[in-house]
Amino acid sequence: MAVIFKIPGIYIRVQSAVYPYKNKKHRAASICLNSWPTMFKLLAVLPVLFLSFAMAWAQPSNVTGLSFQLVALSRVPDGHADNVSSYTAKDLRPLALTPSDYVHGVFVSIGTGQGGRRKILALDTAASTSWVMCEPCRPPLHQLGRLFSPAESPTFRGVRRDDPVCVPPYHRLHSTNGCSFAFPSAIGYLARDTFHLRHSERSVVKSISGVAFGCAHTTTGFYNEDILGGVLSLSPSPLSFLTQFGSRAGGRFSYCLPDPTTSHNPSGFIQFGIEVPSLPRHAHTTTLTVSASGYHLSLIGISLGNKRLDIDRHILTSHGCSINPAETITKIAEPAYIIVARELMAQMNELGSKQVKGPPSSPLVFNKISRRVRARLPNMVFHFADGGDMWFTAGKLFQVIGTTARFLVEGHGSHRTVIGAAQQVNARFIFNVAAGRLTFAEELCSREAA
């Protein structure tokens, strides 16, 4: 088994090897350096890499499991806004759906005693760490429940500037002896507290103490749908929830995103370690490359309908492809998207549907969507370098309202391809981070909240 970490100018391959001494697994790393500047780059990131290895794979034999509730978001009624202990997925109310409604979150309670707050955090496989909005927070975004109050939780501890986790991208604060962060959507400082994760609506709650997370006091451009209280990170970064739980999860997690368009208050679960389900034999598997920015796939081609599109392979590989449910709909790198859009308009024209004109950068919208046309809307396939194919049915590509259909894939201004939540619904994804593999298969993810 090998894991490849990519850093500009550096490639680090961590190879698992079994030695007879005390029947324990040991790992050896082979590092390829191509210049003295590269050596300095390596020295700069060694603390981060060491921390990641130590937290995620220190005890490979101690693999256990964990699962907790995942919901497709809808707005909560005002009467429950201050309830910190009793709301469940059944309290959520459906809205008229738009692409932004393909937002999925997890129930997490943070803190202990009077300071405990139950939150719904957005699922994100690219964020470097989990974070929540803390008192005081500007602007004061409406969310489910009250803001998390560090002063009211007796188990809350700020991360000190001399803590081993306070390394870039985090910053040591000499004035307060703390450790700060500045993400594109949130600014605050690092802390630790207890996370309580609901296994299901009626079963016991799993508590994990000392989880490192960001306590945000300023947010910018964080569209929380009046529900989200922050972000739960499942990235491979050292301070993600996945990495902190990694020694017990064996580097494996799985989710199946419920489709908000087909069920009332749909919910499911995220599983870790031994609770990750097995997939049928027809499941597809492809290579998963791990980097500080998330999980990447080797996309080399795209098909629309029954036609393999004439997209230069270099365009797709040079712009890259990742998978992240925090991206509500799929974005295709603009040079490739232009070709996809052109072919889609041609195929829709053959069906008798015309594009609804709008600004050049607006989403593709088509009219005259009769029953006959709807039944013949094209599918799309992503082709990967190792032979794996990821199919997106027409139901995942088009939002049909009356006789109008919106294409739930965009690309204008996109520098890379990201597979978003709308195209991941009703499919099981298993991330084997340790082995560098992503496995996926169609599955009905939705279930009614009890």
Side-chain angles (χ1 to χ4, degrees):
M1 182 274 290
V3 181
I4 299 174
F5 284 82
K6 295 177 65 179
I7 302 169
I10 307 173
Y11 295 88
I12 301 180
R13 179 184 180 88
V14 180
Q15 181 72 42
S16 176
V18 179
Y19 296 93
Y21 181 69
K22 293 185 179 180
N23 295 321
K24 290 184 178 180
K25 286 187 178 181
H26 300 270
R27 287 175 169 81
S30 59
I31 303 175
C32 179
L33 305 177
N34 55 19
S35 66
W36 281 107
T38 301
M39 175 72 79
F40 290 119
K41 290 181 183 179
L42 177 62
L43 293 175
V45 299
L46 271 177
V48 180
L49 293 173
F50 175 79
L51 178 64
S52 183
F53 295 158
M55 296 175 73
W57 294 300
Q59 299 175 329
S61 61
N62 186 29
V63 177
T64 60
L66 174 69
S67 66
F68 52 94
Q69 191 176 20
L70 166 71
V71 293
L73 296 189
S74 300
R75 203 178 299 268
V76 71
D78 292 338
H80 294 259
D82 293 324
N83 191 326
V84 299
S85 62
S86 64
Y87 69 78
T88 64
K90 68 182 179 181
D91 295 322
L92 303 176
R93 297 292 185 262
L95 297 172
L97 289 162
T98 67
S100 66
D101 288 304
Y102 285 94
V103 178
H104 294 79
V106 294
F107 285 96
V108 179
S109 293
I110 302 172
T112 56
Q114 295 298 316
R117 296 288 186 272
R118 185 166 293 174
K119 296 294 175 187
I120 296 183
L121 305 182
L123 186 64
D124 196 323
T125 57
S128 60
T129 190
S130 305
W131 61 267
V132 299
M133 288 181 273
C134 297
E135 291 183 345
C137 190
R138 298 290 182 269
L141 298 180
H142 186 275
Q143 60 183 278
L144 205 60
R146 291 183 291 152
L147 280 173
F148 175 67
S149 176
E152 296 182 28
S153 175
T155 49
F156 179 89
R157 297 290 184 273
V159 170
R160 295 170 57 91
R161 66 184 179 89
D162 57 355
D163 192 296
V165 303
C166 193
V167 294
Y170 312 108
H171 309 283
R172 297 178 178 180
L173 297 175
H174 294 277
S175 58
T176 61
N177 201 31
C179 184
S180 69
F181 67 89
F183 301 150
S185 58
I187 299 173
Y189 59 91
L190 293 182
R192 287 190 177 90
D193 209 333
T194 301
F195 276 39
H196 312 275
L197 306 164
R198 182 189 299 166
H199 177 76
S200 69
E201 297 225 13
R202 294 187 176 88
S203 66
V204 297
V205 171
K206 174 73 173 180
S207 297
I208 304 176
S209 61
V211 177
F213 67 101
C215 203
H217 292 289
T218 303
T219 60
T220 303
F222 180 54
Y223 302 105
N224 73 333
E225 306 295 319
D226 289 338
I227 297 176
L228 296 172
V231 166
L232 185 79
S233 171
L234 295 182
S235 78
S237 298
L239 287 191
S240 73
F241 177 83
L242 172 69
T243 305
Q244 294 182 70
F245 187 74
S247 63
R248 286 168 283 181
R252 299 177 72 240
F253 71 95
S254 172
Y255 60 74
C256 190
L257 301 183
D259 186 348
T261 69
T262 60
S263 179
H264 175 64
N265 298 334
S267 64
F269 294 93
I270 303 175
Q271 294 101 347
F272 297 83
I274 60 175
E275 294 205 22
V276 171
S278 58
L279 282 178
R281 293 182 178 179
H282 67 270
H284 295 264
T285 299
T286 191
T287 301
L288 189 71
T289 302
V290 179
S291 80
S293 60
Y295 305 106
H296 309 281
L297 308 173
S298 54
L299 179 65
I300 61 168
I302 300 175
S303 291
L304 187 66
N306 296 319
K307 181 178 180 180
R308 179 75 175 251
L309 303 184
D310 186 17
I311 302 175
D312 190 320
R313 175 172 175 165
H314 177 71
I315 291 177
L316 296 171
T317 57
S318 62
H319 285 81
C321 174
S322 59
I323 180 169
N324 188 0
E327 194 74 54
T328 56
I329 64 176
T330 292
K331 305 291 178 63
I332 296 178
E334 186 169 29
Y337 175 76
I338 292 172
I339 299 173
V340 172
R342 185 185 305 128
E343 177 61 27
L344 177 60
M345 287 186 285
Q347 292 189 20
M348 295 299 289
N349 186 59
E350 291 180 1
L351 294 176
S353 177
K354 302 295 183 180
Q355 180 189 5
V356 178
K357 295 298 183 181
S361 60
S362 63
L364 290 176
V365 178
F366 300 92
N367 60 16
K368 299 182 180 180
I369 307 298
S370 62
R371 289 186 178 181
R372 181 190 68 84
V373 172
R374 186 168 185 170
R376 298 173 63 187
L377 291 173
N379 299 333
M380 188 163 67
V381 186
F382 276 11
H383 306 286
F384 301 114
D386 52 9
D389 289 335
M390 188 176 292
W391 287 77
F392 307 119
T393 62
K396 297 182 181 183
L397 295 175
F398 296 91
Q399 181 185 37
V400 180
I401 300 177
T403 59
T404 303
R406 173 177 175 172
F407 188 46
L408 295 178
V409 176
E410 297 180 357
H412 291 294
S414 296
H415 300 290
R416 62 180 296 106
T417 299
V418 183
I419 301 171
Q423 284 67 50
Q424 294 184 50
V425 297
N426 285 337
R428 168 70 58 183
F429 291 89
I430 295 179
F431 292 72
N432 192 331
V433 181
R437 305 295 288 172
L438 175 68
T439 306
F440 48 93
E442 292 295 307
E443 179 181 323
L444 183 61
C445 304
S446 303
R447 72 177 184 87
E448 292 289 335

